[in-house]
């Protein structure tokens, strides 16, 4: 399994989908929910390939950067726009989009904006289009 997850990647995928989910994980004598990132690449001919899975105790900006660094270290040549390192990305996760919009709204308008966002957003997908 480790060999498969560390194998070299193709140099380009038109679409890369990334999502983190929290799963109860046993470590030594305790159980905690930890973030597991799944990275899926869509090839030019539209077939899909699991590019990797990464475990992190929490979901954070640093953990996301580590996910991208791990992909780049496996010979992925394309520009991957995300966050501070990759400023031109598209964030399609509706939950994070709602949170980011709410940060920029006047306090008196937050309830109305939240209702509007809930009506027009679908389920959270965690997708990033590249």
């Amino acid at each position: 399994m480790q060999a498969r997850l560390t194998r070299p990647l193709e140099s380009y995928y038109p679409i890369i989908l990334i999502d983190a989910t929290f799963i109860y994980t046993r470590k030594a004598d305790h159980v905690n929910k930890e973030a597991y990132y799944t990275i899926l690449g869509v090839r030019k001919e539209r077939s899909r390939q699991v590019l990797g899975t990464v475990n992190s105790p929490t979901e954070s900006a640093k953990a996301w950067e580590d996910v991208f660094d791990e992909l780049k270290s496996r010979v992925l040549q394309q520009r991957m726009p995300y966050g501070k390192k990759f400023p031109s990305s598209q964030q399609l996760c509706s939950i994070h989009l709602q949170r980011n919009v709410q940060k920029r709204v006047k306090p008196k308008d937050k309830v109305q904006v939240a209702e509007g966002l809930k009506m027009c957003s679908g389920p959270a997908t965690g997708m990033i289009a590249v």
Side-chain angles (χ1 to χ4, degrees), residues 98-126:
Q98 289 174 24
R99 289 177 188 162
N100 288 337
V101 168
Q102 287 289 6
K103 288 179 192 175
R104 292 163 178 80
V105 174
K106 292 180 182 180
K108 67 177 185 153
D109 298 329
K110 287 190 180 221
V111 172
Q112 183 179 3
V113 170
E115 289 173 6
L117 286 169
K118 284 180 188 174
M119 289 183 357
C120 49
S121 64
T125 61

Side-chain angles (χ1 to χ4, degrees), residues 13-90:
Y13 296 87
I15 300 169
I16 295 177
L17 308 170
I18 302 174
D19 196 6
T21 187
F22 285 85
I23 299 173
Y24 285 104
T25 305
R26 178 176 298 279
K27 295 228 175 148
D29 61 345
H30 62 282
V31 175
N32 287 327
K33 273 190 166 181
E34 293 191 359
Y36 285 83
Y37 298 86
T38 303
I39 305 111
L40 182 72
V42 179
R43 295 181 176 130
K44 291 178 187 177
E45 73 278 359
R46 297 186 182 174
S47 66
R48 292 168 284 191
Q49 177 182 12
V50 175
L51 305 180
T53 55
V54 178
N55 171 247
S56 177
T58 62
E59 185 178 14
S60 65
K62 176 66 174 132
W64 280 101
E65 285 183 27
D66 291 345
V67 168
F68 284 108
D69 288 342
E70 190 267 337
L71 285 175
K72 285 180 138 181
S73 73
R74 292 173 50 208
V75 193
L76 190 65
Q77 299 297 317
Q78 71 196 76
R79 200 181 86 200
M80 293 176 29
Y82 180 74
K84 284 191 292 186
K85 285 188 169 183
F86 312 105
S88 64
S89 67
Q90 295 179 27

